[in-house]
């Protein structure tokens, strides 16, 4: 099944149709998505600042990570759920949006980041055993890359609304990756974030 | 002579608006997120060996710096199309919620953080009120685009 047919099929699932067609539900879900990024993103920020050795340095990385972990997961799951509802309801305009693709790719990279640094940083057995707070070079690297990845997610998320898809290319080449940014020239009249 | 947004240098390049928006949203997220860490502490959910007042003190400057960037970038965005913002009721709601949230954060909530015992009912209630105020600001910001 071509990708744009799949996107159309997803968009017409009853749940996504209901979200899209409600004047109130869609902005409420979008606001909840943003609030989750804020409230729970802060927990990620604190973790990253600790990894960089900038806050809570009296406490071990392991304890900061383990205390915030369940809340970060709860926030992440809520944020992802809202994100799926938003993306599914407008799948036909998201699937070939390069900023959406970059956002999802960056989220996947965050998963890879966790796998790479899990043993050496997030669950550093030596630090847990010694109970000695420290911020090694690799912990700082993990913090800096995590921060950069999350900022990219937020930036790409915002930029999704500014992608101007060439409609003719949409009909003939669903995987068109051309990026056209037409923002300030139009934002005075018709900015409507999706 | 009425203000003409087209004369604003911020409107001279098409990338300025989205970049300012990304900065605005990123720092807003960071600020309310840091405040949320203290609120979770008031609920006794995290860092139970750190007094809330200490945690608040450690994150104070980060939160203040974040809110300062939010306000400056927000004002810059406002000047890019003030009429559209001013006559939008969701934007007005957002401004009122923001003002109340900032006053509450620095004038009321900080008193509860410093004087109330962590886990007490009043401290927990204050944490909920503050979170609700920040979330209201986010809702106002999103609904602005849908009016």
């Amino acid at each position: 099944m071509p990708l744009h047919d799949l996107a159309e099929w997803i968009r017409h699932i009853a749940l996504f149709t209901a979200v899209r067609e409600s004047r109130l539900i869609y902005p409420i879900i979008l606001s909840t998505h943003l609030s989750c990024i804020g409230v729970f993103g802060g927990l990620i920020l604190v973790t990253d600042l600790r990894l960089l050795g900038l806050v809570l340095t009296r406490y071990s990385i392991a304890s900061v990570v383990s205390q915030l972990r369940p809340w970060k997961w709860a926030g992440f799951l809520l944020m992802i759920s809202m994100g799926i509802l938003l993306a599914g309801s407008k799948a036909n305009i998201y699937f070939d949006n390069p900023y959406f693709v970059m956002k999802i790719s960056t989220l996947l990279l965050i998963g890879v980041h966790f796998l790479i640094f899990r043993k050496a940083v997030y669950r550093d057995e030596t630090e847990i055993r010694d109970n000695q707070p420290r911020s090694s070079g690799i912990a700082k690297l993990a913090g800096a890359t995590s921060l950069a990845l999350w900022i990219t997610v937020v930036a790409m998320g915002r930029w999704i609304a500014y992608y101007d898809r060439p409609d003719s290319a949409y009909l003939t080449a669903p995987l068109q990756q051309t990026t056209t940014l037409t923002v300030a020239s139009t934002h005075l009249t018709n900015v409507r974030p999706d | 002579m009425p203000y003409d947004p087209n004369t604003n240098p911020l409107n001279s390049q098409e990338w300025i608006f989205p970049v300012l928006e990304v900065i605005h949203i990123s720092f807003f997220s960071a600020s309310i997120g840091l405040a949320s860490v203290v609120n979770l502490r008031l609920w006794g959910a995290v860092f139970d060996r750190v007094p809330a007042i200490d945690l608040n003190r450690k994150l104070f400057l980060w939160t203040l710096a974040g809110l300062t960037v939010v306000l400056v970038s927000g004002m810059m965005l406002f000047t890019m199309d003030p009429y559209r913002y001013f006559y939008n009721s969701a934007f007005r709601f957002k401004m009122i919620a923001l003002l109340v949230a900032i006053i509450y954060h620095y004038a009321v909530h900080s008193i509860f953080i410093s004087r109330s015992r962590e886990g007490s009912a009043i401290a927990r209630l204050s944490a909920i009120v503050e979170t609700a105020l920040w979330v209201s600001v986010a809702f106002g910001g999103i609904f602005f685009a849908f009016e």
Side-chain angles (χ1 to χ4, degrees):
Chain A
M1 183 188 284
L3 210 50
H4 69 276
D5 287 351
L6 178 66
E8 282 292 337
W9 178 78
I10 291 171
R11 188 174 88 98
H12 286 102
I13 291 172
L15 175 66
F16 296 139
T17 303
V19 169
R20 183 177 57 254
E21 291 182 352
S22 167
R23 282 195 63 196
L24 210 53
I25 302 265
Y26 187 86
I28 286 175
I29 292 174
L30 186 55
S31 303
T32 309
H33 187 63
L34 178 65
S35 300
C36 284
I37 292 172
V39 174
F40 299 102
L43 307 184
I44 293 164
L45 179 63
V46 168
T47 308
D48 291 341
L49 292 176
R50 172 62 192 89
L51 290 174
L52 289 166
L54 296 173
V55 297
L56 301 171
T57 45
R58 279 164 48 198
Y59 303 92
S60 69
I61 289 170
S63 76
V64 171
V65 168
S66 65
Q67 295 215 36
L68 295 179
R69 186 181 294 127
W71 296 98
K72 280 196 287 191
W73 271 109
F76 185 72
L77 290 175
L78 187 58
M79 184 180 72
I80 289 285
S81 306
M82 297 298 121
I84 289 170
L85 288 174
L86 293 170
S89 69
K90 295 187 178 179
N92 63 321
I93 59 168
Y94 281 149
F95 82 97
D96 64 345
N97 185 315
Y99 302 107
F100 177 75
V101 173
M102 284 172 76
K103 180 179 177 178
I104 300 303
S105 305
T106 311
L107 282 169
L108 293 174
L109 278 179
I110 287 169
V112 174
H113 169 275
F114 175 72
L115 291 176
I116 290 172
F117 291 104
R118 187 174 62 168
K119 272 196 169 179
V121 178
Y122 294 107
R123 291 179 188 177
D124 183 358
E125 295 297 333
T126 319
E127 193 200 29
I128 294 168
R129 189 180 61 236
D130 299 344
N131 199 23
Q132 282 296 311
R134 58 179 181 165
S135 246
S136 58
I138 193 162
K140 287 180 179 171
L141 179 65
T145 44
S146 170
L147 210 50
L149 287 168
W150 280 108
I151 289 171
T152 305
V153 169
V154 173
M156 290 303 108
R158 196 63 205 89
W159 234 282
I160 287 170
Y162 295 114
Y163 175 60
D164 190 17
R165 180 206 285 123
D167 282 326
S168 56
Y170 170 58
L171 294 173
T172 56
L175 290 176
Q176 173 68 259
Q177 292 293 309
T178 306
T179 61
T180 310
L181 194 64
T182 53
V183 183
S185 59
T186 57
H187 88 266
L188 293 175
T189 52
N190 66 351
V191 167
R192 183 186 172 88
D194 286 314
Chain B
M1 192 178 188
Y3 170 68
D4 180 5
N6 291 316
T7 60
N8 187 333
L10 293 173
N11 283 324
S12 64
Q13 299 290 327
E14 62 181 25
W15 54 265
I16 295 176
F17 185 81
V19 166
L20 273 176
E21 264 202 322
V22 168
I23 292 170
H24 187 65
I25 292 170
S26 299
F27 279 85
F28 177 72
S29 300
S31 305
I32 67 168
L34 293 173
S36 300
V37 175
V38 179
N39 290 333
L40 281 172
R41 174 65 195 93
L42 288 176
W43 269 83
V46 295
F47 304 123
D48 49 359
R49 286 185 300 157
V50 191
I53 191 167
D54 280 0
L55 193 58
N56 192 46
R57 202 175 292 135
K58 287 176 203 305
L59 300 179
F60 178 83
L61 274 180
W62 292 94
T63 311
L64 183 66
L67 283 175
T68 305
V69 175
V70 170
L71 292 176
V72 171
S73 57
M75 280 188 270
M76 289 168 82
L77 287 166
F78 180 81
T79 65
M80 294 174 83
D81 195 3
Y83 302 115
R84 181 165 172 260
Y85 288 104
F86 186 77
Y87 292 109
N88 185 301
S89 58
F91 178 76
R92 291 182 179 194
F93 170 81
K94 179 187 172 181
M95 287 302 100
I96 293 167
L98 179 67
L99 185 66
V100 175
I102 290 175
I103 291 172
Y104 190 85
H105 180 75
Y106 286 107
V108 183
H109 194 48
S110 57
I111 295 172
F112 288 124
I113 292 170
S114 58
R115 294 188 187 169
S116 300
R117 198 163 46 83
E118 287 97 356
S120 67
I122 192 80
R124 288 179 181 218
L125 181 65
S126 185
I128 291 174
V129 170
E130 199 201 39
T131 304
L133 284 170
W134 289 124
V135 169
S136 302
V137 177
F139 269 65
I142 293 294
F143 271 80
F144 162 75
F146 289 87
E147 191 175 286

